[in-house]
Amino acid sequence: MPLGPSVDSGPGSSEMTSRRLTGPLRAWLVGIGLTVLASLPYLFGLWKTPHGEYYLGFIENSSDQNTYLMWMRQVADGRVLLKNLYTSIPHHGAMFNLYFYVFSLPAYLGLSVGACYQIARVFAGIAVFLATWYFSCTFFEREDQRWIGFVAATFAGGFGWAVAILSRLTAPAGMHITANALMHRPIDVWMPESFPWYAALMLPLHAMGIALLLVTMRWYILGLLEDRLALSAAAGASLFLLSFVHPFDVIAAYSVSGLAVLMLSLRERRFRMSRWRHWFLTGAMGAPTLAFNDVILHTNPGMNAWLVQNVEVSPSPLMYVLGFGIPLVLAVCWLVPFLRSPDRWSSPWLLIAAWLLVAPLMLYSPISFQRRLAGALGVPVALAMVAFLWDRFGEAKVRRTGVIWAIVGVTCVTSMFHF
């Protein structure tokens, strides 16, 4: 039984090749188009702001958003190392975040910090959509497979939409949803770091984190399987940037990439340094920044206060199951036979399998920021779902793609709900 879409090398493959040449251009156009679409709620908020009042430029989660403005305001004021202004504890600046630093520079040209934030949101949106497209290309050969994978990875979620609607219908009028209440809801309605569309729509910092994590994982698995150190070095460079944007995702990258090379070693039944050097090279480029962040969080009084204030434990497993919903169930249906066929482990799908296997261990590891390790997790779940569906629905193209699109469409309801 096949465990992933195969390469189309039969009649019409030359036509596929010519179409594939336009894929990147279409990906750029789609990425820009989706970013414009994600901007509509912001434009609507600006339009509806009464005369004489000020629109901050947020549509959700103002507490996190104001934190981001705090960092950007400091860069605009000339700081390089940033302070935690949410504490009265005396301390010196210590944090350096490349995302806030780069996208605050337009303030030196006279733009407001709010305008800088919107520029960052647009760039992060385009970046996450393009990264998701190229990540899908890592696993699918056919153009139609890639687009189905892209749509699923971008928009697919679970049953959060149903729970959210039910809660709104049954809750008293004007009731505020607390952070504790969110812990008892499916993650697809409150954890944007796992879902590209949700992140691009609500929290651009997470969108940029997802983009860099997907780029890192794509280059790493290609470098590992093709034994090309240049690609692993590129993965390391991406990981280095990620460590200055969303350091939590570096731990996820270490875990997934480490399990992938371990599984490959088990398949080959021997330890080959030529395999493991890719993991060491990629990881070494992100390690210094991770160590730097760990030091300042534990030694700088102000940053330690931020660490204490940001305990991010995972909700119950049920909230993850409901949050990923149908894609998770079908991803498991793909994963089980894949694990039983080690001959398949030499394909890029090894990365998806490793990600799905290590995710539960990361999400419930004995650390205070468990759920932060769910970065981009919706992407491998969705791609595994598409691989399972593609293998299940015959050879009739219309029937196969029709059924797959129907199932993928059902999984995208939460994304429409967010919009």
Side-chain angles (χ1 to χ4, degrees), residues 261-272 276:
V261 70
L262 176 61
M263 291 176 66
L264 196 58
S265 297
L266 292 174
R267 176 188 178 274
E268 297 172 344
R269 297 185 179 180
R270 59 173 174 161
F271 180 93
R272 294 175 57 186
W276 284 89

Side-chain angles (χ1 to χ4, degrees), residues 40-85:
L40 294 183
Y42 294 86
L43 296 174
F44 181 78
L46 180 63
W47 175 54
K48 295 294 289 184
T49 301
H51 179 71
E53 297 187 14
Y54 184 76
Y55 174 52
L56 287 175
F58 311 148
I59 58 177
E60 188 181 85
N61 198 346
S62 59
S63 58
D64 277 356
Q65 311 279 17
N66 278 304
T67 302
Y68 303 154
L69 289 186
M70 174 189 73
W71 305 122
M72 299 180 80
R73 178 71 268 168
Q74 292 182 65
V75 175
D77 289 341
R79 281 189 173 273
V80 176
L81 296 179
L82 310 179
K83 300 175 66 174
N84 174 19
L85 302 183

Side-chain angles (χ1 to χ4, degrees), residues 60 157-167 177 179-195 198 314-326 328 371 414 417-418:
E60 188 181 85
F159 301 110
W161 63 273
V163 175
I165 291 176
L166 181 63
S167 299
I177 301 174
N180 185 59
L182 285 174
M183 294 286 285
H184 301 286
R185 293 189 173 198
I187 65 161
D188 58 332
V189 292
W190 65 279
M191 280 179 58
E193 58 262 42
S194 295
F195 307 95
Y198 191 9
S314 280
S316 71
L318 179 61
M319 296 304 103
Y320 284 109
V321 172
L322 292 176
F324 290 120
I326 294 173
L328 179 61
R371 75 173 182 87
T414 294
F417 173 81
H418 284 309

Side-chain angles (χ1 to χ4, degrees), residues 220 223-224 227-229 232 261-262 264-265 268-282:
Y220 169 79
L224 173 65
D227 196 19
R228 296 172 60 186
L229 283 177
S232 297
V261 70
L262 176 61
L264 196 58
S265 297
E268 297 172 344
R269 297 185 179 180
R270 59 173 174 161
F271 180 93
R272 294 175 57 186
M273 183 54 69
S274 61
R275 296 290 193 189
W276 284 89
R277 62 181 179 172
H278 295 277
W279 185 69
F280 289 122
L281 175 61
T282 299

